[in-house]
């Protein structure tokens, strides 16, 4: 009767949901996205975006990054990608940040079909500054620090040297970068140029080293000798 027809209709609906919804998930492509630093950004500033793609099969296509805009449109940035079967790759971009908190979507497109995607809504920094630690674990002593007199919260974040490949614009969200002497001494000239380009525009680089005399020239900078 009517009850049996209703049960049958519900079964069909459930089947359609199970078959149609997970099309992206069943492609064997996993996408992860990280915007800014620790998912934080400054409105209107350049910001790095890292997208990690893992695939169970070989794929060739485009990585498309779209950012929601206040007028409802989306800015689009595209990058050609190739990933071998069972491979995992990270792709880094630097893009203009939105004027406020907006959704950022990364999707992998192959043969005009979306085969993997991820989305996030990064947090805008308010009365806070980012302190990045280059290629090292973040020391616990950096947590909970506030600058005087405005009591600005200093938020420690990790900085991968891979982002320095993108130039000084990848550092625009940062107020401080803390680097060990070994990391600076072994840095490529390209990475040093990125750091110094950021310093020239107002960034503050703190180098922790036992023997500062062996470090490459980092002018313009103030050298402070500190013996803890």
């Amino acid at each position: 009767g009517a009850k049996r027809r209703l049960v049958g209709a519900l079964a069909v609906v459930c089947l359609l949901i199970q078959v149609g919804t997970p099309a992206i998930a069943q492609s064997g492509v996993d996408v992860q996205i990280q915007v800014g630093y620790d998912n934080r950004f400054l409105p209107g500033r350049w910001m790095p975006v890292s997208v990690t793609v893992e695939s169970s099969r070989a794929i060739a296509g485009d990585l498309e990054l779209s950012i929601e805009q206040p007028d409802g449109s989306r800015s689009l940035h595209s990058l050609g990608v190739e990933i071998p079967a069972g491979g995992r790759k990270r792709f880094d971009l630097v893009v203009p940040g939105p004027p406020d908190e907006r959704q950022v979507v990364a999707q992998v497109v192959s043969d005009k079909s979306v085969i993997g995607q991820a989305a996030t809504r990064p947090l805008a920094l308010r009365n806070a500054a980012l302190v990045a630690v280059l290629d090292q674990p973040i020391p616990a002593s950096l947590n909970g620090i506030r600058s005087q007199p405005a009591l600005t919260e200093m938020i420690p974040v990790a900085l991968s040297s891979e982002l320095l490949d993108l130039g000084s614009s990848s550092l625009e969200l940062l107020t401080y970068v803390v680097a060990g002497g070994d990391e600076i001494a072994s840095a490529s000239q390209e990475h040093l140029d990125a750091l110094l380009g950021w310093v020239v525009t107002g960034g503050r680089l703190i180098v922790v080293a036992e023997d500062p005399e062996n470090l490459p020239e980092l002018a313009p900078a103030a050298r402070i000798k500190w013996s803890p």
Side-chain angles (χ1 to χ4, degrees):
K3 183 177 180 180
R4 182 174 298 176
R5 288 195 298 272
L6 176 59
V7 172
L10 289 175
V12 172
V13 170
C14 290
L15 179 61
L16 288 174
I17 292 175
Q18 291 174 351
V19 171
T21 303
I24 293 178
Q26 289 179 356
S27 68
V29 178
D30 179 65
V31 181
Q32 299 176 10
I33 182 172
Q34 174 72 44
V35 176
Y37 292 91
D38 197 22
N39 219 40
R40 293 178 170 90
F41 77 105
L42 286 169
R45 299 276 192 94
W46 288 89
M47 63 182 190
V49 178
S50 297
V51 180
T52 301
V53 181
E54 185 172 4
S55 177
S56 61
R57 58 188 176 88
I59 58 174
D62 294 296
L63 172 62
E64 296 183 351
L65 184 75
S66 63
I67 303 175
E68 183 184 10
Q69 300 298 312
D71 62 1
S73 64
R74 304 189 73 91
S75 63
L76 182 64
H77 310 270
S78 182
L79 179 69
V81 298
E82 291 187 8
I83 301 171
R88 177 185 176 92
K89 285 188 177 182
R90 168 176 153 177
F91 304 95
D92 298 319
L93 308 88
V94 177
V95 299
D100 52 21
E101 295 180 358
R102 297 281 167 173
Q103 186 186 54
V104 181
V105 178
Q107 58 185 26
V108 179
V109 179
S110 180
D111 294 329
K112 299 182 180 180
S113 298
V114 177
I115 58 175
Q117 71 175 28
T120 186
R121 185 180 292 268
L123 301 175
L125 283 170
R126 307 187 190 283
N127 194 33
L130 298 180
V131 182
V133 180
L134 178 63
D135 282 342
Q136 291 289 336
I138 298 173
S141 57
L142 288 181
N143 293 317
I145 296 177
R146 291 182 179 271
S147 66
Q148 298 290 343
L151 294 179
T152 300
E153 181 183 5
M154 312 299 284
I155 301 176
V157 295
L159 170 60
S160 167
S161 58
E162 295 175 355
L163 288 182
L164 298 180
D165 293 336
L166 302 176
S168 58
S169 59
S170 66
L171 307 174
E172 192 168 319
L173 300 181
L174 304 174
T175 301
Y176 295 92
V177 169
V178 180
D182 291 342
E183 283 69 40
I184 294 298
S186 62
S188 66
Q189 188 59 51
E190 181 183 15
H191 287 180
L192 290 176
D193 289 344
L195 286 167
L196 294 179
W198 167 74
V199 168
V200 168
T201 59
R204 299 164 186 174
L205 175 63
I206 301 173
V207 181
V208 182
E210 293 182 1
D211 190 1
E213 300 302 325
N214 292 331
L215 294 176
E217 184 58 49
L218 293 174
R223 176 168 290 177
I224 300 175
K225 186 174 182 180
W226 176 45
S227 299

